[in-house]
Amino acid sequence: MSHAPPIMRTDESSSQSEQSETRVTTLELFFDLAFVFNFTQLARVLSHDMTLRGLLQVLLIFWMLWWMYGGYAWLTNHLPPHKKRHRLLLLLGMASFLIVGLATPHAFNGDGVAFGIGYLMIVSVHAALFAFSGPSAARNMLHIAPFHTVGALLIIWAGFLDAPMTYVCWSGALLLEVIAPFITGVSGFELKPGHFVERHGLLMIIALGDSFLALGVGTEGGQAGFSVVITAVLIFVIPACLWWVYFDESEKAKRAERALERQDTVQRSRMALAAFFYAHVPMLLGLILIAAAIKKTIAHPYDELATAPSLALAGGVAFYLAGIAWFHGILKIGPQRFHLAAALLATAAVPVGHRVAAVGEVAVLGLLIIGALFIEHRWTRRMGHTCL
């Protein structure tokens, strides 16, 4: 019995096909917009309650949401949403994130059950989509899904309890997510580096844009007087420079992609988990802290900042820079010591905001990030884009 020969593609068409397969779809970008809505809500929670309790609540909610965002990023990397049923399920996942976002401001006080139900929908849709993604990935998801489901049920149960048991249940759910990859591993997933790097880059752009939303919310619809405009321009320097630190005009994205491509399948997955999940945690938390502090800064720029927002603003910049250093170290794509030094120096801006004026702290932090960028740029040119 004869078999028809396979249709051979030219190198050009093969390259074009591979490029199209690794591009982030518009639906994924739409999904990320829904996810970042939760960031806006977390910044709102923190700006209203800048206490250790408020910070703890933000940390618990953030970790659960960021973990599942990572799950969806791995999912669409493995199974692009091209088919109608995949798109419909992904849209249902977006709706679930919307439910969670709406419940976030009162997740520990009245809306815990709604948050838990939304989270259960998120993990259920995630598992259902992985069922369509091939036997290897589906098998791996069967090992991970119980951790997600039990975590969601713990959050629902926490909604019926009072503190401190509420926090115990949330901590248990978080612990399940932390230990899941160590027990199940990540070897069952084939990672496409180009898509993965681009997806997280687009997410960071949207998250950085949340700082601009914070500027508008912070003015509370008041008149844009001279002092507010000047302060807004100074504040703009911070997210603009943080964008540059992460992207460096797309050069770092290219280096990150090449770093992943050099690894074998198992090591690539482990490196991706370390760099694009764990190392992004301080960066994203830093942006939430900055957005929360901006709302307190923009309204009265020449007044002294209270201790909490002053710490949040400087701490947010420090967290972000420390995360960048960690990110560079994992992928070997850039220097670490300059960003670590800048992260430590950022704490020196706190007395400026607390004792002098909010706008003074903003200016100091902006100059600090610009200095770190300048030194990194000179180092990169001298070293020829290689890491220490």
Side-chain angles (χ1 to χ4, degrees), residues 46-372:
L46 191 59
S47 66
H48 289 165
D49 185 12
M50 282 195 171
T51 63
L52 290 177
R53 182 189 63 183
L55 182 60
L56 176 61
Q57 292 178 1
V58 166
L59 287 173
L60 289 170
I61 295 172
F62 166 80
W63 184 275
M64 303 303 294
L65 295 179
W66 177 233
W67 179 259
M68 285 314 303
Y69 174 83
Y72 275 86
W74 284 70
L75 166 69
T76 53
N77 182 270
H78 187 77
L79 182 72
H82 296 319
K83 294 183 178 179
K84 188 175 295 184
R85 62 184 179 184
H86 300 160
R87 293 176 178 177
L88 289 173
L89 280 171
L90 199 58
L91 287 168
L92 181 58
M94 287 178 59
S96 305
F97 270 106
L98 176 62
I99 293 170
V100 165
L102 292 172
T104 287
H106 302 286
F108 290 84
N109 182 26
D111 285 341
V113 174
F115 186 103
I117 291 172
Y119 193 78
L120 182 60
M121 290 173 61
I122 289 171
V123 302
S124 299
V125 171
H126 182 251
L129 276 164
F130 257 113
F132 296 117
S133 63
S136 177
R139 234 182 352 258
N140 206 325
M141 182 48 55
L142 283 175
H143 297 143
I144 299 174
F147 292 90
H148 295 168
T149 303
V150 174
L153 293 175
L154 279 173
I155 294 174
I156 293 174
W157 183 245
F160 294 102
L161 304 175
D162 297 323
M165 290 307 300
T166 302
Y167 294 94
V168 172
C169 289
W170 273 82
S171 300
L174 185 150
L175 181 62
L176 285 172
E177 305 291 19
V178 171
I179 66 174
F182 296 100
I183 295 176
T184 63
V186 292
S187 58
F189 302 104
E190 294 284 344
L191 191 97
K192 302 180 184 75
H195 174 277
F196 204 73
V197 173
E198 183 186 8
R199 178 73 185 273
H200 286 82
L202 291 171
L203 173 71
M204 292 301 295
I205 290 175
I206 299 171
L208 283 162
D210 190 49
S211 300
F212 294 100
L213 294 177
L215 283 171
V217 173
T219 59
E220 297 180 346
Q223 291 185 337
F226 180 76
S227 64
V228 172
V229 170
I230 293 298
T231 306
V233 171
L234 286 173
I235 291 174
F236 163 76
V237 172
I238 293 178
C241 289
L242 293 180
W243 168 85
W244 206 310
V245 166
Y246 188 94
F247 292 97
D248 192 18
E249 296 179 345
S250 81
E251 283 302 315
K252 284 183 184 174
K254 295 175 184 175
R255 281 178 260 161
E257 186 176 337
R258 288 195 293 267
L260 291 174
E261 287 173 345
R262 287 193 293 264
Q263 309 302 317
D264 60 39
T265 302
V266 175
Q267 186 57 33
R268 180 184 298 167
S269 295
R270 290 174 179 169
M271 180 178 281
L273 182 65
F276 290 93
F277 179 79
Y278 290 110
H280 275 60
V281 167
M283 285 188 256
L284 292 169
L285 282 175
L287 292 178
I288 291 172
L289 289 170
I290 291 169
I294 284 174
K295 294 175 183 179
K296 302 288 186 181
T297 303
I298 189 69
H300 305 285
Y302 295 104
D303 293 348
E304 296 175 1
L305 265 179
T307 302
S310 182
L311 285 170
L313 186 58
V317 171
F319 270 37
Y320 188 96
L321 293 174
I324 284 289
W326 190 5
F327 183 63
H328 285 182
I330 294 168
L331 296 175
K332 305 287 192 294
I333 61 171
Q336 294 178 266
R337 59 175 180 259
F338 308 130
H339 300 301
L340 285 174
L344 292 173
L345 289 172
T347 58
V350 174
V352 178
H354 187 52
R355 300 292 184 184
V356 182
V359 70
E361 182 172 351
V362 170
V364 169
L365 290 172
L367 289 172
L368 180 65
I369 305 170
I370 290 172

